[in-house]
Amino acid sequence: MVKVMASGTFDLLHMGHIYYLRESRKLGDSLTVVVACDETVRKLKHEPVTPEKMRLNLIKELKMVDEAVLGKSGDRYKIVEEIKPDIIALGFDQIHDEKKILSELKIRNINAKIVRLPKCDDMNDLDGTRRIMAKIISAYEFQKEMESIEKS
Amino acid sequence: MVKVMASGTFDLLHMGHIYYLRESRKLGDSLTVVVACDETVRKLKHEPVTPEKMRLNLIKELKMVDEAVLGKSGDRYKIVEEIKPDIIALGFDQIHDEKKILSELKIRNINAKIVRLPKCDDMNDLDGTRRIMAKIISAYEFQKEMESIEKS
């Protein structure tokens, strides 16, 4: 029984997320997903669009996900200690230093293998949270411009 | 074997969609979801944020979904003829005239029951595509304002 762990923010679900989770699941027999809590997202990225409860509940509904839990703020390895994964899957674009993770795992006596997944070739332009946001903003700007032209 | 059909745009997945699909699935033994094609969305609502292929592929990954197909533009009942559902589930906020649907089904000799699902009490503020878009736009406007204050 090989337990795989994947993690991420998963704000505005897209096919990049699906690809990452599907490939992660293939590495073992079960997939546990850690969904970053709002506090962590704020610290490492930006204000999340959708709140942690919503991001967690959506991930739980995906076919390839056996279990999903909310990450912890502060010591991010605490949740790894609880999950006890055999494999930690990293997405191709996730900024994680693999050597640093391995040394942190060693300190905690966690014997997990780290697998960095390759990039999917068949990605769409909108398979990125920031790209979805950019499309919404650009449509909004366009609409505003049209309205100002109509008024003038 | 009771076959349920649900349908929608499913642009930017949220818990309102999950609730609708979960409740639809409970009405029978299998759930087929019709995802509106871009042409139909443009005609009935607005320009979709995410394209039909992406919306369809995300819906296919949900646990409660047995099958998902793209809707047809033009005669929207053609797909119902192909699916042959026993039950057509409508979301509480979907603007569909049930009497009209029943008479259209009768013309086509489709003997499906229509079930209008109730509203879920436990909805989040962001369980709506337009509400997610509004949040992204408002964060963008706020950021622009902050930048203009910093510059002045």
Side-chain angles (χ1 to χ4, degrees):
Chain A
M1 173 79 185
V2 177
K3 192 175 187 178
V4 185
M5 186 192 114
S7 60
T9 304
F10 307 106
D11 203 6
L12 308 178
L13 267 190
H14 54 73
M15 291 310 290
H17 296 138
I18 299 295
Y19 172 78
Y20 165 50
L21 295 177
R22 203 191 277 147
E23 292 305 308
S24 298
R25 178 65 184 77
K26 283 184 195 163
L27 298 171
D29 305 301
S30 82
L31 176 64
T32 300
V33 182
V34 177
V35 175
C37 65
D38 288 345
E39 210 183 311
T40 301
V41 181
R42 268 180 213 121
K43 209 155 49 186
L44 300 181
K45 292 170 101 176
H46 50 79
E47 180 66 28
V49 176
T50 56
E52 55 190 26
K53 195 184 152 197
M54 180 172 160
R55 293 184 283 109
L56 176 70
N57 285 338
L58 274 175
I59 288 296
K60 279 183 179 170
E61 295 298 334
L62 297 174
K63 277 178 180 149
M64 76 293 266
V65 175
D66 297 286
E67 187 192 24
V69 294
L70 210 56
K72 295 178 194 293
S73 60
D75 181 1
R76 291 158 62 205
Y77 288 89
K78 271 222 170 106
I79 195 85
V80 191
E81 281 180 28
E82 284 173 25
I83 293 170
K84 298 182 185 68
D86 299 295
I87 292 173
I88 296 176
L90 301 179
F92 82 95
D93 62 346
Q94 286 186 318
I95 311 157
H96 288 301
D97 180 346
E98 289 156 59
K99 275 185 194 161
K100 172 96 169 55
I101 298 176
L102 276 173
S103 83
E104 291 284 348
L105 293 176
K106 212 175 168 187
I107 294 167
R108 288 162 178 85
N109 259 323
I110 305 168
N111 198 16
K113 204 175 124 188
I114 296 174
V115 176
R116 171 75 68 176
L117 292 166
K119 191 178 172 175
C120 173
D121 293 331
D122 188 28
M123 281 287 119
N124 185 287
D125 281 352
L126 284 169
D127 292 334
T129 301
R130 277 168 194 274
R131 286 193 286 273
I132 295 172
M133 288 167 73
K135 182 166 173 190
I136 293 168
I137 288 164
S138 113
Y140 164 74
E141 284 287 12
F142 177 76
Q143 198 191 341
K144 268 209 324 195
E145 206 183 310
M146 286 300 107
E147 279 167 11
S148 80
I149 290 169
E150 276 166 18
K151 267 183 207 155
S152 65
Chain B
M1 172 79 184
V2 177
K3 193 176 187 177
V4 185
M5 186 192 115
S7 60
T9 304
F10 307 107
D11 202 6
L12 308 178
L13 266 190
H14 54 72
M15 291 309 291
H17 296 138
I18 299 295
Y19 172 78
Y20 166 50
L21 295 176
R22 204 191 275 147
E23 292 305 308
S24 299
R25 177 64 185 77
K26 284 183 195 164
L27 298 171
D29 304 305
S30 81
L31 176 64
T32 300
V33 182
V34 177
V35 175
C37 65
D38 289 344
E39 211 183 310
T40 300
V41 181
R42 266 178 215 122
K43 208 156 47 185
L44 299 181
K45 292 170 100 175
H46 50 79
E47 180 67 29
V49 176
T50 55
E52 56 190 25
K53 194 183 154 199
M54 181 173 160
R55 292 183 285 109
L56 176 70
N57 285 337
L58 274 175
I59 288 296
K60 278 184 180 170
E61 295 298 333
L62 296 175
K63 278 176 180 151
M64 75 294 267
V65 175
D66 296 286
E67 188 193 23
V69 294
L70 211 55
K72 295 180 194 292
S73 59
D75 181 1
R76 291 158 63 205
Y77 288 90
K78 270 223 171 106
I79 194 86
V80 190
E81 281 180 27
E82 284 174 24
I83 293 170
K84 296 182 186 67
D86 300 293
I87 293 173
I88 296 176
L90 301 179
F92 81 97
D93 62 346
Q94 286 186 319
I95 311 157
H96 288 301
D97 180 346
E98 289 156 58
K99 276 184 194 160
K100 174 98 167 57
I101 299 176
L102 276 172
S103 84
E104 292 283 350
L105 294 177
K106 213 175 167 185
I107 295 168
R108 288 162 178 85
N109 260 322
I110 306 168
N111 197 16
K113 204 176 123 187
I114 296 175
V115 176
R116 171 75 68 175
L117 291 166
K119 190 177 172 176
C120 173
D121 293 331
D122 188 28
M123 281 286 118
N124 185 287
D125 281 353
L126 284 169
D127 292 334
T129 301
R130 277 167 194 275
R131 286 193 286 273
I132 295 173
M133 288 168 73
K135 182 167 175 188
I136 292 168
I137 289 164
S138 115
Y140 163 74
E141 283 288 11
F142 178 76
Q143 199 193 339
K144 267 208 324 193
E145 206 184 311
M146 286 299 109
E147 280 167 11
S148 80
I149 290 170
E150 277 166 18
K151 268 183 207 154
S152 66

